[in-house]
Amino acid sequence: MSGTPAFKRLPRAVREQQMLDAAVRVFSRRGFHAASMDEIADDAGISKPMVYAYLGTKEELFIACLHREGTRMTAAIAGAAAPDLPADERLWRGLRAFFGFVGGHRDGWAVLYRQARGSQPFAAELAAMRNRLVEVVAGMLDHALRARGREVHATDLEVVAYALVGASESLADWLADHPEADPERTAGRMMNIAWLGADQLLRGASWEEGRAPS
């Protein structure tokens, strides 16, 4: 049998998406170091030289996977949370979009938040994506606060946004390991955790040692 897979001629954009789909699957299973370009090419049903020609080295291919999955996730969240909605509805829709992405793209999540951690330059790419997500969440909170006639220091908004994103990431990791779990119900659980605190923030409450929130 020939070692070079037969393939149909397809538009470049379509072929690149097929390669990225295959790469995400293989990187998810193997991790960056153990994955081979041969396996990725075989999974995509194309020749290895074509993978190099279209998307470059294995490192460049991994970064392309990070960018695509990160862009999809951020776009899903930003697109779901329309600015004219009430604050709680915006947060709910954003969380539902986020956990829906994780539930529908478990391989993509594994590449984004498991395989990329702790390895340069991928950790830096992941940090940049997380910063963009934090900016989206901070913007949602700022919009909600201003709608209630309140302004919060930018650092406080950033800290709250990081806390919400971090908690959501941890719960998303749990969801990725439990394929039987319902993404929307998981989003509801996170909403209950997040909104109890966010609602207090929107009302202007604050905690101080020795007394109840005011």
Side-chain angles (χ1 to χ4, degrees), residues 22-201:
V24 166
R25 288 191 293 268
V26 175
F27 285 135
S28 174
R29 292 196 304 265
R30 304 285 193 189
F32 172 74
H33 295 292
S36 72
M37 295 295 268
D38 287 301
E39 186 176 3
I40 292 168
D42 185 62
D43 194 292
I46 61 173
S47 65
K48 183 168 72 171
M50 183 174 284
V51 178
Y52 282 108
Y54 275 54
L55 294 166
T57 65
K58 186 169 79 165
E59 181 176 300
E60 290 170 329
L61 177 57
F62 191 87
I63 290 174
C65 291
L66 289 181
H67 284 169
R68 190 188 72 167
E69 298 305 303
T71 298
R72 283 178 169 180
M73 182 178 70
T74 304
I77 295 168
D84 58 337
L85 293 171
D88 59 337
E89 186 67 18
R90 289 192 77 199
L91 181 59
W92 163 240
R93 291 193 184 191
L95 287 171
R96 187 169 60 182
F98 172 66
F99 286 104
F101 172 87
V102 175
H105 302 83
R106 283 180 166 85
D107 288 343
W109 174 260
V111 170
L112 278 172
Y113 283 90
R114 293 181 179 178
Q115 307 302 343
R117 286 179 186 272
S119 178
Q120 293 293 350
F122 310 132
E125 294 285 339
L126 177 59
M129 286 180 228
R130 178 179 290 156
N131 287 340
R132 288 195 293 272
L133 190 56
V134 167
E135 287 174 4
V136 170
V137 174
M140 290 169 56
L141 292 173
D142 186 46
H143 178 85
L145 287 163
R146 289 179 185 275
R148 297 194 181 190
R150 296 194 64 244
E151 290 189 28
V152 173
H153 193 279
T155 300
D156 293 329
L157 280 173
E158 184 180 25
V159 168
V160 173
Y162 265 106
L164 289 176
V165 169
S168 296
E169 287 173 354
S170 294
L171 191 52
D173 248 355
W174 175 87
L175 176 64
D177 283 336
H178 294 80
E180 76 285 356
D182 177 21
E184 184 153 344
R185 188 173 181 186
T186 304
R189 288 172 172 143
M190 186 64 218
M191 181 67 187
N192 284 330
I193 294 169
W195 186 247
L196 290 175
D199 189 48
Q200 291 291 320
L201 172 68

